[in-house]
Amino acid sequence: EERLRIETDRGDYTARGLVNATGTWERPFIPHVRGADRFAGRQLHTKDYRTAAEFEGRHVLVVGGGISAIQLLDEISRVTDTTWVTRREPVFSDEPFTPERGRAAVALVEDRVRKGLPPGSVVSVTGLPLTPAIRAARERGVMNRLPMFDDIVPEGVRWSDGTTRDVDVILWCT
């Protein structure tokens, strides 16, 4: 069986796989949205999330179209009201995520970078896996995605057509 060999100043290690955890959680991306500084509720990023129980009884707005947003939306929706927003319509995939699909996704991301383009998200290449948990969340009515809002107001968020939604928490899964 092939293994990776890692040589460090603290010794040598071998492993069958490697997780590249390069620190993006220490610099979370929260997009600038007009009015964010006036929001009367709580804003946090995925990296600050601990447990759904802390949101019980509060309306939570989950922002993001990746797998972490979907997973947290599912979890939080079990204890309170949620709203889900994304910039683009999510694309779901029934196709199993095989090593071949993983390599193809990496190749597509690499190709974008070589062309001088931003790498894009993994989900933009692979789609969201349509797991049993995601299917169950759909059946519970949790996966009703809205487009990204335009402004944050003290009580919540507002879209360009004037529609508003009162929320207590904005969870940035970005």
Side-chain angles (χ1 to χ4, degrees):
E1 169 181 353
E2 288 189 40
R3 296 177 72 87
L4 300 171
R5 179 179 164 88
I6 299 112
E7 298 175 5
T8 75
D9 59 356
R10 295 187 178 162
D12 297 346
Y13 303 91
T14 60
R16 286 187 297 276
L18 175 69
V19 175
N20 181 0
T22 56
T24 58
W25 293 113
E26 295 307 314
R27 296 178 132 198
F29 172 72
I30 296 177
H32 173 74
V33 178
R34 188 175 40 241
D37 57 332
R38 295 187 320 240
F39 182 58
R42 179 178 175 201
Q43 293 186 65
L44 70 156
H45 189 270
T46 309
K47 83 170 197 78
D48 302 308
Y49 177 85
R50 298 295 173 256
T51 176
E54 69 181 290
F55 303 114
E56 197 167 341
R58 296 187 177 123
H59 190 128
V60 178
L61 178 76
V62 177
V63 181
I67 194 65
S68 62
I70 299 291
Q71 290 168 335
L72 295 182
L73 175 67
D74 178 35
E75 189 174 317
I76 295 167
S77 71
R78 295 171 189 272
V79 301
T80 197
D81 293 328
T82 56
T83 298
W84 179 36
V85 300
T86 66
R87 285 185 299 139
R88 290 183 295 276
E89 186 74 37
V91 175
F92 291 91
S93 173
D94 258 331
E95 197 175 327
F97 193 79
T98 62
E100 294 77 24
R101 278 195 71 213
R103 284 190 285 278
V106 168
L108 287 170
V109 170
E110 183 180 354
D111 184 54
R112 282 186 57 83
V113 171
R114 288 186 190 282
K115 291 177 179 173
L117 300 169
S121 69
V122 172
V123 168
S124 70
V125 175
T126 64
L128 290 162
L130 207 45
T131 65
I134 291 173
R135 288 180 199 279
R138 270 185 168 174
E139 289 173 19
R140 288 189 301 111
V142 174
M143 306 297 293
N144 298 323
R145 170 260 180 198
L146 296 175
M148 186 65 183
F149 50 88
D150 296 283
D151 299 298
I152 298 176
V153 296
E155 313 76 37
V157 296
R158 179 176 50 221
W159 285 266
S160 61
D161 67 0
T163 302
T164 61
R165 173 90 31 125
D166 289 352
V167 299
D168 303 299
V169 177
I170 300 174
L171 175 58
W172 298 98
C173 301
T174 50

